[in-house]
Amino acid sequence: MVGTQLNWNEYATAWARLHGGFDPRAAAPVVRAWLRFAYHVGYVLGRLRVTPTAVTVGGVLLCLCVPLFSVRSAQGAIVGALFVLLASVADSVDGAVAVATGRTTRLGYVYDSVADRLGEIAWLVAFWLVGAPGALVVAAGALSWLHEYVRARAVAAGMREIGAVTVGERPTRVCVALVGLLLAGLTGLIDLDLSAGTITMATAVWLLLAGFGLGQLLSTVRRALLDAG
């Protein structure tokens, strides 16, 4: 029922239904701890009548702060990394609020996906502002977008929705953005040229993981659709 608060076990069961049957209670300790943290925050926000959409919008605004701060200085890049972390928390919590309060909707899923793509664009803009080559940034963003597009089209073609199967999934992008900006800021405190070089390497890592992940996804989709056919 919409608006009914779920306990952890009920939440985990509902969450698994929305994520290809993957039970968070059986996840690795770090993943399980993160999901339980998101659940507890979502539970509290749900009790305060904060909507999932409000959390999603808040996450997008946090993402937009990343390039605004990163362009100013090496210290700004460190602050940008902090905003990436806060935005990733919001990205987990909006879904937790929806599940914990029984407010999951198809429209909310669309909003969340759009918010994720907008956030990643903001992070890559920050990479470019800190010093990464524009062509490399565009290529990294294009491959990540293609990854999500292939997944969406495969689901539309009949593949059952599944959880993470590649090294190029969104959690990986979050980690690269967070660590990349943090290291760029720290090295920039020594020399601004080091900052540009560091963020360029981070962009290259994003690109390589996105490319390899796309290959993994295409292989998985091919097997799944052939089996379904």
Side-chain angles (χ1 to χ4, degrees):
M1 180 180 297
V2 175
T4 301
Q5 295 283 119
L6 304 182
N7 61 37
W8 165 246
N9 287 323
E10 293 170 333
Y11 171 86
T13 301
W15 193 93
R17 283 199 303 269
L18 297 170
H19 294 82
F22 177 74
D23 191 339
R25 291 165 294 192
V30 174
V31 176
R32 185 168 64 249
W34 176 262
L35 293 176
R36 287 207 68 155
F37 166 74
Y39 161 72
H40 288 300
V41 175
Y43 185 92
V44 172
L45 292 178
R47 293 295 295 265
L48 295 174
R49 301 189 181 280
V50 176
T51 66
T53 301
V55 180
T56 299
V57 171
V60 173
L61 294 177
L62 289 170
C63 288
L64 294 178
C65 290
V66 176
L68 291 178
F69 280 91
S70 297
V71 70
R72 296 182 178 180
S73 62
Q75 293 91 332
I78 297 174
V79 175
L82 175 60
F83 276 107
V84 171
L85 177 60
L86 294 175
S88 68
V89 172
D91 182 42
S92 295
V93 170
D94 62 357
V97 173
V99 175
T101 60
R103 294 175 179 172
T104 54
T105 64
R106 293 180 180 179
L107 186 58
Y109 178 80
V110 173
Y111 286 159
D112 188 57
S113 297
V114 172
D116 288 347
R117 302 293 78 75
L118 291 175
E120 289 169 7
I121 290 173
W123 301 345
L124 287 169
V125 168
F127 279 23
W128 173 63
L129 292 173
V130 173
L136 192 64
V137 169
V138 171
L143 277 182
S144 293
W145 175 86
L146 187 57
H147 183 286
E148 298 302 327
Y149 180 77
V150 168
R151 180 188 291 277
R153 297 309 300 166
V155 171
M159 187 181 80
R160 183 170 178 265
E161 180 65 61
I162 57 176
V165 296
T166 79
V167 297
E169 303 289 344
R170 178 166 169 81
T172 301
R173 297 170 218 151
V174 171
C175 291
V176 173
L178 174 61
V179 175
L181 286 171
L182 180 61
L183 291 179
L186 292 175
T187 54
L189 295 175
I190 302 172
D191 190 321
L192 286 178
D193 289 337
L194 291 177
S195 180
T198 301
I199 205 64
T200 297
M201 287 191 291
T203 311
V205 170
W206 182 313
L207 178 64
L208 289 173
L209 292 176
F212 190 69
L214 180 61
Q216 288 180 303
L217 180 62
L218 288 171
S219 177
T220 300
V221 168
R222 181 177 182 277
R223 291 196 304 269
L225 294 182
L226 286 176
D227 290 343

